[in-house]
Amino acid sequence: MIRIFIPTCCFLILLFPQIVLSECTCEIDSDNNIDSNEFSSVSKYKVSSIAAILICGAVGVSLPLFGNKIEALRPENDIFFMIKAFAAGVILATSFIHILPEAFDHLTSPCLDQNPWRNFPFAGFIAMVSSIGTLMVDSFATGFYKRQHRKQVVADDVDVERSSSVVDDHSHSHVHLHPHASAASLDNQDLSSSELIRRRIISQVLELGILVHSLIIGISLGASNSVQVIKPLLVALSFHQFFEGMGLGGCIAQAKFKSKSTAMMAIFFSLTTPIGIGIGMAISRIYKENSPTALIVEGSLNSTSSGILIYMALVDLLAADFMNPKLLNNFRILLGANVSLLLGAGCMSVLAKWA
């Protein structure tokens, strides 16, 4: 599934030139008509935002990955549950408070035809379909990998049993006992493997949803020619990238990918928003955010991203951790996780006042 990240990013990058060149029946925002001095000043803020967001994202996603060197960030520690709950709250608030309302604004814009865009809540519909689609991908992928692993374990077990029979043919007691030990070993391996497969799928689907949104919001920041818009966006995105990165990094750490895959996923997350800002800067002179095509494509992608992140935050991050026996059997940790969740969601919600 890691291989789908590059084609997805390339598709979105290739798609945006078509968006910005679309004709528009509504008035273009005045912040696109600025003189050279003001354009230069705004560009400095954009370059600064690339550096700030890159650093925040990289640090956020890297901290859990180096948890073996930081006691509090190790997945087996109690504090890790609270950190993940805070990050999940940030992701959930981002979906409900930032992405979904923006999708509704885009898909109900006066620049779009009354029929069908303003006669049906397409943003909510797309988000719902996206959530259901994520559930289907989640379940089918998990089932597929579980079956594949089960077949492999059974095949390996048969090979080991045959080897044991040849080598230890003189020991009948050993041969008779072997199947029982083998069955127990099979069950234990299947249980641990199923959990690992589940975590890997969670981390990959979560990253895909984050990448879509990150690229869109990066382009929006880069295409804006208003300092008043860029400043609050910079603060909100830096906060968002850091804690969203921690949530994603925690999932990647628990998935125990190989070093190369882990590095690729961390790099993709860190670079997507800065790349989006760079694309936005390149098209800022011709960008028409009120063009019908731009509104439809951005609104649809935001709705899709929102549905993915809402599902992942509620089902794969929060429900999985909050139903963990370690939390349920320890009131202190459970209370801390709930408080952390509320703090994460609350902090990201407050930022909606400025961005």
Side-chain angles (χ1 to χ4, degrees), residues 20 71 124 148 173 205 225 250 275-276 296 299 327 340 352 354:
V20 301
E71 184 69 24
Q148 290 296 109
S173 61
V205 176
N225 287 321
I275 288 174
I296 292 169
L327 258 73
S340 296
W354 297 280

Side-chain angles (χ1 to χ4, degrees), residues 149-161 189:
H149 176 75
R150 184 82 180 185
K151 290 178 182 178
Q152 184 61 46
V153 171
V154 170
D156 292 344
D157 188 66
V158 170
D159 291 340
V160 170
E161 185 173 345
Q189 288 183 33

Side-chain angles (χ1 to χ4, degrees), residues 19 28 73 75 88 102 111 117 144 160 163 169 185 192 250 255 307 316 325:
I19 297 174
I28 306 302
L73 295 180
E102 188 173 342
C111 295
W117 298 105
F144 173 78
V160 170
S163 299
D169 189 49
S185 174
S192 60
D316 286 336

Side-chain angles (χ1 to χ4, degrees), residues 16-27:
F16 260 85
Q18 300 299 320
I19 297 174
V20 301
L21 294 176
S22 301
E23 293 182 0
C24 179
T25 57
C26 299
E27 293 183 4

Side-chain angles (χ1 to χ4, degrees), residues 136-153:
M136 291 179 176
V137 170
D138 211 358
S139 59
F140 279 115
T142 302
F144 173 78
Y145 285 115
K146 280 185 178 180
R147 290 191 297 273
Q148 290 296 109
H149 176 75
R150 184 82 180 185
K151 290 178 182 178
Q152 184 61 46
V153 171

Side-chain angles (χ1 to χ4, degrees), residues 112-225:
L112 298 178
D113 294 335
Q114 178 73 31
N115 187 30
W117 298 105
R118 281 178 282 158
N119 289 337
F120 184 79
F122 279 99
F125 176 75
I126 294 172
M128 177 190 71
V129 171
S130 175
S131 295
I132 295 173
T134 305
L135 168 64
M136 291 179 176
V137 170
D138 211 358
S139 59
F140 279 115
T142 302
F144 173 78
Y145 285 115
K146 280 185 178 180
R147 290 191 297 273
Q148 290 296 109
H149 176 75
R150 184 82 180 185
K151 290 178 182 178
Q152 184 61 46
V153 171
V154 170
D156 292 344
D157 188 66
V158 170
D159 291 340
V160 170
E161 185 173 345
R162 286 175 178 173
S163 299
S164 299
S165 298
V166 172
V167 174
D168 301 314
D169 189 49
H170 64 282
S171 176
H172 295 289
S173 61
H174 176 79
V175 173
H176 289 308
L177 289 173
H178 180 72
H180 300 286
S182 173
S185 174
L186 179 64
D187 289 339
N188 290 333
Q189 288 183 33
D190 192 52
L191 181 62
S192 60
S193 174
S194 296
E195 182 64 24
L196 188 62
I197 289 169
R198 183 92 185 100
R199 289 173 177 173
R200 289 183 175 180
I201 293 172
I202 287 171
S203 62
Q204 290 173 331
V205 176
L206 177 61
E207 175 147 2
L208 181 61
I210 291 172
L211 290 183
V212 174
H213 168 62
S214 295
L215 188 62
I216 296 295
I217 195 64
I219 290 174
S220 299
L221 188 152
S224 175
N225 287 321

